Amino acid sequence: MTQQIVERYGDHIFNHAAASEDERLGALAAELDPVTFRRLGSLPMQRDWRCLELGAGTGSVARWMAARCPEGGVVATDLDLELVRRNDGDAGVTWTHHDLTRDEFPPGSFDLIHARYLFCHLRSRDTDLARVMRWLTPGGWLVLEEPARFPIDASPDHAYRTTGMGVFAALEERIGTDCDWPRDLEGHLSRAGFTELDSDVAYSLAGGGRPMGRFWELTVEQLAPVLCEMDGITPDMVADTLVRLRDPGFREPGMATVGVIGRRPVS
Ligand SMILES: C[S@@+](CC[C@H](N)C(=O)[O-])C[C@H]1O[C@@H](n2cnc3c(N)ncnc32)[C@H](O)[C@@H]1O
């Protein structure tokens, strides 16, 4: 019997050792942190809250939470903590090597759990949501922020749209990523049993100098060899897309970010 080899995020694509990965995730954080901090800041955070940041990346959100909850503390996880080490290390956070799809935390361990741009990459995302709920204390809060592809799918710019949709197709085929799943993030949390749901969508412009543009440019650059092998995508289209993303006059939307706050029921 042949064993199916299943690639995970970071095994090859988006490995943290890739030359531009620190800058790529740094650009993502620069784009999204202000919205994330406003969203987390809308919660009744207490100094003694125990917080969990899943798939921490460069660790900017974990460090922000640690400054607000010094008496409770922050645990931050990732499959690879290399980028955290390069971006200010400790900062009062307990950094833990942890695979969300396989590793556990004791039930009721946290008052607040946050994850950003993570669940879309997990094949077991719906069952993982249910497991994450058990890690919250009754009444604890979950904040998820996930990327949705529909603004790129709607772009009138042929090269940008086709290359971008190629990125989503390549990630889906290789890792199992689904950037349609976040369109109904509130529904997914509701079905998992979360209550007091509140969601919204933020749009980011890609294009010259903007962090979302740089993030997408480095994403397309990393995947260029895969994209150029795909039906309907030529090396010229990939090159044109990279030129557009560096152009200050290019103002097409990048991915949308769907954010939702939900609560584990008290009883
Ligand atoms: C797109 S990056 C987002 C990083 C960070 N959350 C942010 O928004 O700035 C996804 C992160 O999740 C991590 N990751 C992917 N699969 C994971 C898993 N199964 N368990 C824990 N972390 C995972 C990756 O290593 C990477 O750091």
Side-chain angles (χ1 to χ4, degrees), residues 50-54 56 62 65 72-77 92-96 98 105 110 112 114:
R50 298 157 301 154
C51 306
L52 173 64
E53 169 72 354
L54 292 164
M65 293 197 292
V74 177
V75 175
T77 73
V93 176
T94 303
W95 305 97
T96 309
H98 180 280
F105 285 104
F110 300 103
L112 168 64
H114 172 258

Side-chain angles (χ1 to χ4, degrees), residues 73 76 78-79 109 122 162 189 199 230 256 262:
D78 208 292
L79 295 174
S109 297
L122 308 176
T162 309
L189 262 70
S199 61
M230 295 176 84

Side-chain angles (χ1 to χ4, degrees), residues 152-215:
I152 294 177
D153 198 12
S155 173
D157 186 300
H158 179 67
Y160 174 69
R161 184 183 65 252
T162 309
T163 306
M165 296 312 285
V167 168
F168 296 119
L171 295 181
E172 182 169 359
E173 189 183 321
R174 296 278 294 270
I175 303 175
T177 301
D178 184 349
C179 288
D180 263 347
W181 183 83
R183 283 181 72 114
D184 187 25
L185 205 47
E186 189 168 324
H188 299 305
L189 262 70
S190 173
R191 286 185 284 281
F194 287 91
T195 57
E196 298 183 42
L197 298 163
D198 184 23
S199 61
D200 61 38
V201 183
Y203 296 91
S204 308
L205 286 184
R210 298 180 192 93
M212 180 54 90
R214 184 69 179 145
F215 168 76

Side-chain angles (χ1 to χ4, degrees), residues 8-10 14 16 21 24-26 28-29 32-33 53-61 77-80 83 98-102 114-118 121-122 128 145 215:
R8 287 182 317 169
Y9 184 106
F14 305 145
H16 282 194
E21 192 56 9
R24 196 181 75 92
L25 292 190
L28 183 70
L32 300 181
D33 278 357
E53 169 72 354
L54 292 164
T58 58
S60 58
V61 178
T77 73
D78 208 292
L79 295 174
D80 183 344
L83 298 184
H98 180 280
D99 180 344
L100 166 55
T101 65
R102 299 175 189 178
H114 172 258
R116 191 171 73 189
Y117 280 44
L118 172 60
H121 296 300
L122 308 176
D128 294 329
E145 299 174 300
F215 168 76

